[in-house]
Amino acid sequence: MNLSNLSFVELKTLYDQIAVQMKTRESEAIEKARAEITAIAARVGVPIEELMGKAGKTAVKNKAAVKFRNPADPSNEWTGRGRSPAWVKAMAEAGTLDSARV
């Protein structure tokens, strides 16, 4: 198939069809892998969680780095993510937020 001979509409249609096929094949591959892992766990008599090395472990989220620290109270910090604290809003309104940047 020579793609350079296709119109934009034909290319877009092909692109959409490829995206659907890729998602379908990805889902099939994941399901196949899950079935294989389940079969291995059953064959060796070990729970899947233990087989995968997750027994007794808790997920640790990576904490975002602090980007702003309140000069008046250094214990007040903000990563720049989520809802901004009142002190950040006040400094932003006053035009002094850059002085709090870490």
Side-chain angles (χ1 to χ4, degrees), residues 1 7 25 29 39 44 51 62-63 66 77 81 83 86 97:
M1 174 184 284
S7 70
R25 300 239 177 124
V44 297
L51 182 69
N62 291 334
K63 188 174 179 183
V66 173
E77 301 173 333
R81 294 183 180 173
R83 191 176 200 177
L97 186 56

Side-chain angles (χ1 to χ4, degrees), residues 25-68:
R25 300 239 177 124
E26 179 184 42
S27 296
E28 290 170 352
I30 289 170
E31 284 305 312
K32 182 180 176 187
R34 284 185 180 140
E36 290 174 7
I37 291 169
T38 302
I40 291 169
R43 188 170 56 240
V44 297
V46 176
I48 292 174
E49 293 79 17
E50 188 176 330
L51 182 69
M52 300 303 291
K54 294 184 180 179
K57 294 183 182 178
T58 58
V60 177
K61 289 186 176 183
N62 291 334
K63 188 174 179 183
V66 173
K67 293 184 181 176
F68 299 93

Side-chain angles (χ1 to χ4, degrees), residues 11-24:
L11 285 170
K12 176 76 172 109
T13 301
L14 182 60
Y15 177 83
D16 293 342
Q17 290 172 351
I18 290 170
V20 168
Q21 277 300 313
M22 288 179 66
K23 190 67 178 166
T24 300

